[in-house]
Amino acid sequence: MTLSVPLTREHFERLDRDDPLSACRARFDLPEGEIYLDGNSLGAMPAHVPARIEKVLKEEWAHGLIRSWNDADWYPAPQRTGAKIAKLIGAQAHEVIVADSTSINLFKVLVAATRMQPGRKVILAEKGNFPTDVYIAAGVAELTGCELRCVEPDEVLDALNDSVAILSLTQVNFKSGRRYDMAAITARAHEVGALVVWDLCHSAGAMPIELNGANADFAVGCGYKYLNGGPGAPAFVFVAERHIAHVRQPLTGWHGHAKPFDFTHEYAPHPTIDRMLVGTAPQLGVLALEAALEVFEGVDMQVLRKKSVALCDLFIQLCDEQLLGLGVELRTPRDAEQRGSQVSLAHAEAYPVMQALIARGVVGDFRAPDILRFGFTPLYTRYVDVWDSVEALREILHSAEWNRPEFIARKSVT
Amino acid sequence: MTLSVPLTREHFERLDRDDPLSACRARFDLPEGEIYLDGNSLGAMPAHVPARIEKVLKEEWAHGLIRSWNDADWYPAPQRTGAKIAKLIGAQAHEVIVADSTSINLFKVLVAATRMQPGRKVILAEKGNFPTDVYIAAGVAELTGCELRCVEPDEVLDALNDSVAILSLTQVNFKSGRRYDMAAITARAHEVGALVVWDLCHSAGAMPIELNGANADFAVGCGYKYLNGGPGAPAFVFVAERHIAHVRQPLTGWHGHAKPFDFTHEYAPHPTIDRMLVGTAPQLGVLALEAALEVFEGVDMQVLRKKSVALCDLFIQLCDEQLLGLGVELRTPRDAEQRGSQVSLAHAEAYPVMQALIARGVVGDFRAPDILRFGFTPLYTRYVDVWDSVEALREILHSAEWNRPEFIARKSVT
């Protein structure tokens, strides 16, 4: 987006009036008077979730009791919710299931993928990926006798060769917001015989994703960021249809069994995506996530992406105009094609600056050591939020408002 | 308990009037007019849980948003809830943490324990254990190059020798209700140098447990049975203090890291029980479980056990008196010392018999192929429930009321 006139707040108000997604904001329960730019850490609450959960508790659990596994359709909730997510990530309904956490799902698919690649011993991953991805891959490498090889993001293609069993990447980097070309990288990996695992934590729900269009093998992702499933919401896992019958994941719990309620002594994996399940599904989390996904009903993901790009472009443009000389450096690609739905700025005092912003009601995120991270969630972020947040940031930096004891003091965890 | 006079319903009413735990029933929201004897499958809902969860949703998530990880103390919820469970199982607060599912926690401790036993290659387990325990152990054996050896429950002691790395047992069997002597078996296992993993799914919250009194090494257990945490509530894991610093579990996710928010590239396990964490804790489930545990406040577990034994003894006695010649066979030990808090009866038509019981408002459980399972949860089960449930069972068997199409037809899952 390029604009020839200087930007004003009125311009942003007009963009909000013309926004085809503007009605979606009312689907969320948001705090009054705040600008929430941290939906890529914890998505906002869809307004109808409490009523759904109240019914789950007071009717289905309290009065239906054990019968609700059948009568309230608790059993198929992981499959049902997976099918809803499938629509957002370019997968078929039977290729996605909700289970456990992203870390655990990554463990499952990495071990399963190494078993499909006898004779290959390298798990190729990227430096600077979200740490749990690297930690889990290291754990898998140790257990399976593989080697974990981590390279810089721009060295990934060159590092692909016929020793690589698995390429494990996150589509959008948690810190920089940099986005990989899923289709091109997957194609190149397949040329050398590697399988690819995509982590969609920072892309699912934030943009159109075409897993099958990219011929992806495996994917995992988070329920509590752009999918708005609530704190610690369960994660999802995708296995391409062609792989499902061959996947042997190592967490062989009873809910992944072909016939869990036959209580047989021998494990036999379920013939479908259900084999990715382990224990009993965390129903409160699954049902909250299922309800939360209703906010995507009727939303064209291309329209959502268009707004996301516009929000990020405008934020960058305003930063360029307003924050000149204030010690801020853009760390997210300017090219929208190489970007997710966030903008990251580096600043030497990023921690207290973010605390000062939060105190003013602009909630972004700090990422060590020096990143101010702003997530743009097109379903509830307004254009004026972009204007107001850069304005707040400008004032804080200009007046050194961040330089107060209460902002500098670190909280135990951030 | 022996009684010299024939039992009458009045006798059970009197026992309820004299029951020191009778007031605890009001702590639960139970369906009117039903007898719930399936708390060992899904515990009943503590009445105050919905209000707690409503606050979590409408205040902490919706308005606190990301700040609630600190401000609403979400981060320490797994530790805090683990500490509450520790009191019920004879552990120290810092030895127990809430995480993931029982199956996943079992995977963690089994792999960790094999790593502590170099040179030993046998995982010893029992035939007839809850299937997920056997499935997970088989998965661990395959990954670690160990051998899974399953023996009959009464052959366990004889099978212990210096090739055994780990003995993995469930304290109370899910089907028969048979209970192991935790202290004696742990002592014998230690004599041959084996580590012991106890699954407490069918004992935690149902009786006093003394993990440290028995010198136990590891334990796992379920949050949704006798702990009443709700459907698919997160599970817990215990690591004895002497082992914590040496445990290297394989699911090396970021929440088990020494400094998760430093986002370092190398995994370094947290020095405490926190190293058993993997991904972000499923907060709705953890906070519901934490709230649910309040029903144990002020409850003396010895008093609870005494009532549990009385309920089971009386149930068995009534079955002996009332069900003679009706094709029912007791499958739970008569000796309370060898028993958990359930009574299992075998009947050739157990499935439709249980359906007929449920239709009469007596909710027990069917376990394939022929088990009627009745769980006695002393916090909310009344003595008259024992009388009324056996009476219902007698009428159903006597009149062959179970032999109706609607009871014989199998539901998809039971």
Side-chain angles (χ1 to χ4, degrees):
Chain A
M1 176 175 291
T2 54
L3 295 159
S4 52
V5 290
L7 295 174
T8 61
R9 195 175 194 279
E10 288 64 40
H11 176 73
F12 290 79
E13 289 168 356
R14 194 162 55 246
L15 289 171
D16 280 321
R17 281 196 299 276
D18 297 341
D19 175 13
L21 296 176
S22 61
C24 293
R25 185 174 163 89
R27 298 179 182 181
F28 293 86
D29 182 347
L30 291 158
E32 287 287 327
E34 287 198 346
I35 298 171
Y36 190 60
L37 301 178
D38 206 8
N40 50 344
S41 193
L42 173 65
M45 189 180 77
H48 62 289
V49 166
R52 172 69 186 116
I53 294 301
E54 186 177 11
K55 183 168 184 286
V56 170
L57 296 174
K58 293 186 178 174
E59 296 178 27
E60 295 175 14
W61 176 14
H63 296 158
L65 285 160
I66 190 68
R67 290 162 292 209
S68 288
W69 283 102
N70 287 303
D71 298 349
D73 282 330
W74 287 351
Y75 276 120
Q79 292 85 346
R80 209 166 56 225
T81 310
K84 283 193 173 187
I85 294 170
K87 284 191 207 170
L88 301 176
I89 59 177
Q92 300 178 83
H94 61 279
E95 293 173 315
V96 181
I97 197 159
V98 164
D100 305 311
S101 64
T102 306
S103 300
I104 290 171
N105 289 332
L106 189 61
F107 182 88
K108 294 176 200 168
V109 297
L110 286 177
V111 173
T114 62
R115 288 173 168 174
M116 294 166 71
Q117 296 279 60
R120 289 178 180 237
K121 288 288 171 197
V122 173
I123 300 172
L124 181 64
E126 52 178 328
K127 288 181 185 167
N129 195 356
F130 188 75
T132 212
D133 293 64
V134 181
Y135 303 159
I136 289 286
V140 169
E142 183 182 353
L143 263 181
T144 59
C146 286
E147 175 204 341
L148 173 62
R149 191 177 295 164
C150 291
V151 300
E152 296 295 337
D154 51 12
E155 295 168 352
V156 165
L157 287 179
D158 289 341
L160 280 168
N161 59 48
D162 62 12
S163 73
V164 176
I166 309 161
L167 172 61
S168 179
L169 293 176
T170 297
Q171 190 184 13
V172 173
N173 186 274
F174 80 108
K175 199 183 274 188
S176 68
R178 176 185 165 144
R179 182 168 68 144
Y180 282 113
D181 182 334
M182 180 186 282
I185 291 176
T186 302
R188 176 67 190 129
H190 285 176
E191 281 173 23
V192 301
L195 294 167
V196 189
V197 176
W198 286 103
D199 179 336
L200 309 178
C201 280
H202 285 270
S203 46
M207 63 189 65
I209 298 173
E210 293 297 339
L211 283 174
N212 284 327
N215 204 21
D217 299 295
F218 303 100
V220 298
C222 174
Y224 56 77
K225 297 181 187 291
Y226 294 99
L227 299 184
N228 311 302
F236 64 87
V237 55
F238 158 87
V239 179
E241 185 180 68
R242 65 186 177 281
H243 293 318
I244 290 176
H246 313 293
V247 161
R248 291 200 311 111
Q249 63 99 346
L251 292 163
T252 46
W254 67 307
H255 277 272
H257 193 279
K259 295 183 173 176
F261 289 90
D262 278 8
F263 298 108
T264 58
H265 186 74
E266 298 287 331
Y267 183 78
H270 199 281
T272 72
I273 189 76
D274 292 19
R275 62 176 55 190
M276 302 309 285
L277 296 176
V278 186
T280 305
Q283 282 296 327
L284 297 190
V286 176
L287 297 171
L289 173 58
E290 182 189 24
L293 289 165
E294 289 175 25
V295 297
F296 287 98
E297 271 177 26
V299 172
D300 180 332
M301 293 302 283
Q302 301 292 342
V303 172
L304 180 138
R305 172 68 181 166
K306 197 174 161 194
K307 181 176 174 189
S308 156
V309 168
L311 291 167
C312 293
D313 277 342
L314 287 163
F315 187 88
I316 292 170
Q317 185 181 348
L318 282 180
C319 287
D320 286 344
E321 290 179 14
Q322 310 271 342
L323 307 183
L324 202 69
L326 291 173
V328 160
E329 194 180 310
L330 181 68
R331 285 292 170 85
T332 300
R334 283 181 188 273
D335 177 3
E337 282 302 301
Q338 295 180 36
R339 200 173 63 203
S341 194
Q342 73 181 62
V343 177
S344 298
L345 306 174
H347 187 279
E349 300 294 343
Y351 183 86
V353 168
M354 184 51 73
Q355 301 311 308
L357 269 171
I358 293 170
R360 279 176 173 253
V362 179
V363 181
D365 215 340
F366 163 76
R367 282 290 172 257
D370 62 351
I371 297 293
L372 299 160
R373 193 177 74 167
F374 301 94
F376 295 92
T377 45
L379 293 182
Y380 54 84
T381 303
R382 295 164 299 202
Y383 286 94
V384 288
D385 294 338
V386 171
W387 175 272
D388 293 342
S389 56
V390 177
E391 187 68 11
L393 183 55
R394 190 187 60 75
E395 290 174 17
I396 286 165
L397 293 173
H398 192 262
S399 65
E401 180 176 311
W402 55 267
N403 193 12
R404 293 185 193 159
E406 71 267 30
F407 299 144
I408 290 169
R410 295 274 173 136
K411 288 179 191 167
S412 54
V413 197
T414 58
Chain B
M1 176 176 290
T2 55
L3 294 158
S4 52
V5 290
L7 296 173
T8 61
R9 195 176 194 280
E10 287 65 39
H11 176 72
F12 289 80
E13 288 168 356
R14 195 160 54 244
L15 289 171
D16 280 322
R17 281 195 300 275
D18 297 341
D19 174 14
L21 296 175
S22 61
C24 293
R25 185 174 163 88
R27 298 179 181 180
F28 293 87
D29 182 348
L30 291 157
E32 286 287 326
E34 287 198 346
I35 297 171
Y36 190 60
L37 301 178
D38 206 8
N40 51 345
S41 193
L42 174 64
M45 188 180 78
H48 62 288
V49 166
R52 171 70 186 116
I53 294 301
E54 187 177 10
K55 182 167 185 286
V56 171
L57 296 173
K58 293 186 178 174
E59 295 178 27
E60 295 175 14
W61 177 13
H63 297 159
L65 285 161
I66 190 68
R67 291 163 290 208
S68 288
W69 283 103
N70 287 304
D71 299 348
D73 282 329
W74 287 351
Y75 276 120
Q79 292 84 345
R80 210 166 55 223
T81 309
K84 283 192 173 190
I85 294 171
K87 284 191 208 171
L88 301 176
I89 58 176
Q92 300 178 84
H94 61 279
E95 293 174 315
V96 181
I97 197 159
V98 164
D100 304 313
S101 64
T102 305
S103 299
I104 290 171
N105 289 332
L106 189 61
F107 182 88
K108 294 175 199 167
V109 296
L110 286 177
V111 173
T114 62
R115 289 171 167 175
M116 295 167 71
Q117 297 279 61
R120 291 180 180 235
K121 286 290 172 197
V122 174
I123 299 173
L124 182 63
E126 52 178 329
K127 289 181 184 165
N129 195 357
F130 188 75
T132 212
D133 294 64
V134 181
Y135 303 158
I136 289 286
V140 169
E142 183 183 353
L143 263 180
T144 59
C146 286
E147 174 204 341
L148 173 62
R149 190 176 294 165
C150 291
V151 300
E152 296 296 337
D154 50 13
E155 295 169 352
V156 165
L157 287 180
D158 288 342
L160 280 168
N161 59 49
D162 62 10
S163 71
V164 175
I166 308 161
L167 172 61
S168 179
L169 293 176
T170 296
Q171 189 184 13
V172 173
N173 186 275
F174 79 107
K175 199 183 274 189
S176 68
R178 177 185 166 145
R179 182 169 67 144
Y180 283 113
D181 182 335
M182 180 186 280
I185 290 175
T186 302
R188 176 71 189 125
H190 286 175
E191 280 172 22
V192 301
L195 294 167
V196 189
V197 175
W198 287 103
D199 178 336
L200 307 179
C201 281
H202 285 270
S203 46
M207 64 189 66
I209 297 173
E210 293 297 339
L211 283 174
N212 284 327
N215 205 21
D217 299 295
F218 304 100
V220 298
C222 173
Y224 57 76
K225 298 180 187 293
Y226 295 99
L227 300 184
N228 311 302
F236 65 88
V237 54
F238 158 87
V239 179
E241 184 180 68
R242 65 186 177 280
H243 293 316
I244 289 175
H246 314 292
V247 162
R248 290 201 311 113
Q249 63 99 346
L251 292 163
T252 45
W254 68 308
H255 277 273
H257 193 278
K259 295 183 174 179
F261 290 89
D262 278 8
F263 299 109
T264 58
H265 186 73
E266 299 287 331
Y267 183 77
H270 199 281
T272 72
I273 190 75
D274 292 19
R275 61 176 56 190
M276 302 309 285
L277 297 176
V278 186
T280 305
Q283 281 296 328
L284 297 190
V286 176
L287 296 171
L289 174 58
E290 182 189 25
L293 289 165
E294 289 174 25
V295 297
F296 287 98
E297 271 176 24
V299 173
D300 180 331
M301 293 303 282
Q302 300 293 343
V303 172
L304 180 137
R305 173 66 181 167
K306 198 173 160 194
K307 180 176 175 187
S308 157
V309 169
L311 292 166
C312 293
D313 277 343
L314 287 163
F315 187 87
I316 292 170
Q317 186 182 348
L318 281 179
C319 288
D320 286 344
E321 290 179 14
Q322 310 270 341
L323 307 182
L324 202 70
L326 291 173
V328 162
E329 194 180 310
L330 180 68
R331 285 292 170 83
T332 301
R334 282 181 189 274
D335 177 3
E337 283 302 302
Q338 296 180 35
R339 201 172 63 202
S341 194
Q342 73 181 64
V343 177
S344 298
L345 306 173
H347 187 280
E349 300 294 344
Y351 183 85
V353 169
M354 184 51 73
Q355 301 311 308
L357 268 172
I358 292 170
R360 278 175 174 253
V362 179
V363 181
D365 215 340
F366 163 75
R367 281 292 172 256
D370 63 351
I371 297 292
L372 298 159
R373 192 177 74 167
F374 301 94
F376 295 93
T377 45
L379 293 182
Y380 54 83
T381 303
R382 296 163 300 201
Y383 286 95
V384 290
D385 295 339
V386 171
W387 175 271
D388 293 343
S389 57
V390 177
E391 187 67 11
L393 183 55
R394 189 187 62 75
E395 290 175 14
I396 286 165
L397 293 174
H398 193 260
S399 65
E401 181 175 311
W402 56 266
N403 192 11
R404 292 185 195 159
E406 70 267 30
F407 298 145
I408 290 168
R410 297 272 173 138
K411 288 180 192 165
S412 54
V413 197
T414 59

